[in-house]
Amino acid sequence: MNDDRPVLLEKRGTCLHLTLNRPRALNALSHTMVRLLDEALSRAEQDESIASVLLSGAGDRGLCAGGDIRALHDDARASGRASLEFWRDEYRLNARIARFPKPYVALMDGIVMGGGVGVSAHSGIRVVTERSRVAMPETAIGFVPDVGGTRLLATAPGELGTHLALTGRSVGAADAVLCGLADHHIPARLLPALTEALGEPAGQDPSVAGIVQRFATEPPAGEIAAQRDWIDGCYAADSVEEILRRLRESGVPAAEAAADEFLTKSPLALKVTLAAVRRAARLDSLEAVLDQEFRVSSRAFEHPDFVEGVRARIIDKDNAPQWKPGSLAEVDDQEVARFFAPLGPGEQELGLAPGPTRTPVDGGQAG
């Protein structure tokens, strides 16, 4: 008999195994799932019989494809506010995972996108496989990377994170490790054995990290390490327009392909995303970044590009979104800055960082 609970909890030895259990929806996160995960981690933190936590996804397609986009879309169309409460709890969960005091192992097998990155890439031990595809693809739906993703991308080597943030491209195991989104590669066929080993009583190597390391192998060759020259050169620019110009003039086919991708994204989302990544690099904690992302998400949720992007990419699948504004030139600096301004009367800040979130001052079109 199938278990239809959205999050499965199983204690194996001293390991608490959490399974995201919506395989038909690629384990997309609902508000209920976020609350269940948070409650489970809160209890595990206090339970002395639990020494570690393991997170995986049901099925063989992926850990988690992100938040429940259709639910967010419907809420936005109805001018609702439920999505803001979902993000409030989700971002708090992301912070809890990052500060969790016991070993937290995330199996980032298959598709890991958006909210899936949030529940895995902030953990202490992050495992990818040859099937992993990791991405923050928000600009394609008129949204901006969140769940702490702007901090992860801002700390990637060189400008790799800027490249991934703006294009929304997915990366495989080797590139995920290179970008600091994962730690170890383990072949997918060995995940059941790893899960069993983590649940066994401590043997010769009692450390969770040591157990994971025993299964780790070199990942298949990645792609972006060899592209660092043009990525770092082009994406170091201070505006989306200048990045686009450099990509076009680089003479590198891969760079020109990236430029073509820009033209399919929301112009406003591109500019806000660049500003968000740059600002995240100057904030001093994940909590401060999540506070900033909550402001940005709140404003993006109100903007018509989000509803239009989800319609075009997810619902109607015509891949012909009508963005507003329709070009980079029409997006002014004041509109970008509005996304980072303190929330207005009747709106509650996330408030994870002590004191008010500092908003770095940018010049030019990056902020």
Side-chain angles (χ1 to χ4, degrees):
M1 181 176 179
N2 292 332
D3 193 331
D4 60 359
R5 291 175 297 169
V7 177
L8 305 181
L9 284 70
E10 180 184 8
K11 188 178 177 186
R12 297 186 176 191
T14 60
C15 180
L16 176 63
H17 187 179
L18 305 175
T19 304
L20 306 180
N21 189 36
R22 294 182 68 202
R24 294 180 63 183
L26 263 171
N27 300 317
L29 291 175
S30 65
H31 201 165
T32 296
M33 294 169 73
V34 166
R35 288 172 172 152
L36 290 171
L37 289 170
D38 190 71
E39 291 167 4
L41 291 179
S42 179
R43 290 193 301 270
E45 187 171 337
Q46 303 300 321
D47 189 341
E48 294 183 359
S49 71
I50 294 176
S52 64
V53 171
L54 174 67
L55 178 74
S56 66
D60 57 6
R61 296 172 60 201
L63 172 68
C64 175
D68 190 332
I69 295 297
R70 286 178 178 267
L72 297 171
H73 167 271
D74 293 347
D75 189 37
R77 284 195 66 187
S79 299
R81 307 295 289 176
S83 297
L84 302 186
E85 295 312 306
F86 165 70
W87 285 319
R88 189 183 300 279
D89 287 343
E90 183 184 26
Y91 298 176
R92 290 182 179 278
L93 172 64
N94 302 147
R96 179 187 287 279
I97 289 169
R99 306 299 180 216
F100 195 67
K102 299 176 181 181
Y104 180 117
V105 182
L107 302 185
M108 302 170 68
D109 183 34
I111 293 174
V112 185
M113 296 185 178
V117 173
V119 296
S120 60
H122 297 300
S123 64
I125 304 174
R126 305 163 300 176
V127 173
V128 283
T129 75
E130 74 281 2
R131 304 188 299 199
S132 295
R133 300 305 302 178
V134 184
M136 296 297 295
E138 286 76 8
T139 55
I141 57 169
F143 203 65
V144 179
D146 64 338
V147 297
T150 58
R151 180 176 177 85
L152 292 166
L153 295 169
T155 55
E159 295 295 334
L160 295 180
T162 311
H163 172 58
L164 297 182
L166 295 178
T167 62
R169 285 186 179 178
S170 64
V171 294
D175 291 333
V177 173
L178 172 63
C179 291
L181 301 172
D183 304 302
H184 306 281
H185 167 263
I186 294 177
R189 61 181 173 80
L190 297 181
L191 294 184
L194 170 63
T195 299
E196 183 175 348
L198 289 172
E200 292 173 350
Q204 293 182 342
D205 188 346
S207 76
V208 171
I211 293 171
V212 172
Q213 187 61 54
R214 291 207 314 264
F215 289 86
T217 65
E218 283 297 313
E223 299 176 2
I224 60 177
Q227 301 174 1
R228 283 287 304 275
D229 284 349
W230 68 262
I231 289 176
D232 289 351
C234 294
Y235 287 93
D238 290 331
S239 71
V240 177
E241 288 93 336
E242 177 61 16
I243 291 173
L244 185 59
R245 185 190 69 79
R246 293 185 187 186
L247 291 170
R248 287 291 187 210
E249 296 179 0
S250 69
V252 179
E256 294 176 9
D260 290 339
E261 289 181 50
F262 273 39
L263 301 181
T264 70
K265 315 296 185 187
S266 158
L268 178 62
L270 286 173
K271 287 200 173 185
V272 175
T273 294
L274 179 62
V277 172
R278 296 287 192 256
R279 290 168 182 249
R282 297 193 293 278
L283 292 171
D284 60 8
S285 68
L286 172 62
E287 287 80 3
V289 171
L290 289 165
D291 284 346
Q292 173 176 276
E293 289 179 347
F294 187 74
R295 291 176 177 176
V296 172
S297 295
S298 298
R299 296 295 174 245
F301 180 71
E302 299 167 351
H303 196 276
D305 272 8
F306 175 59
V307 168
E308 173 62 6
V310 176
R311 179 206 64 77
R313 307 293 190 195
I314 308 296
I315 297 176
D316 295 342
K317 298 182 180 180
D318 59 22
N319 291 316
Q322 300 299 307
W323 304 122
K324 296 179 180 179
S327 69
L328 291 169
E330 295 175 87
V331 181
D332 63 38
D333 294 351
Q334 287 186 336
E335 175 66 3
V336 174
R338 188 181 75 84
F339 280 70
F340 299 90
L343 299 180
E347 299 178 299
Q348 183 182 355
E349 298 276 358
L350 183 61
L352 284 177
T357 298
R358 295 190 303 278
T359 303
V361 177
D362 284 304
Q365 296 177 35

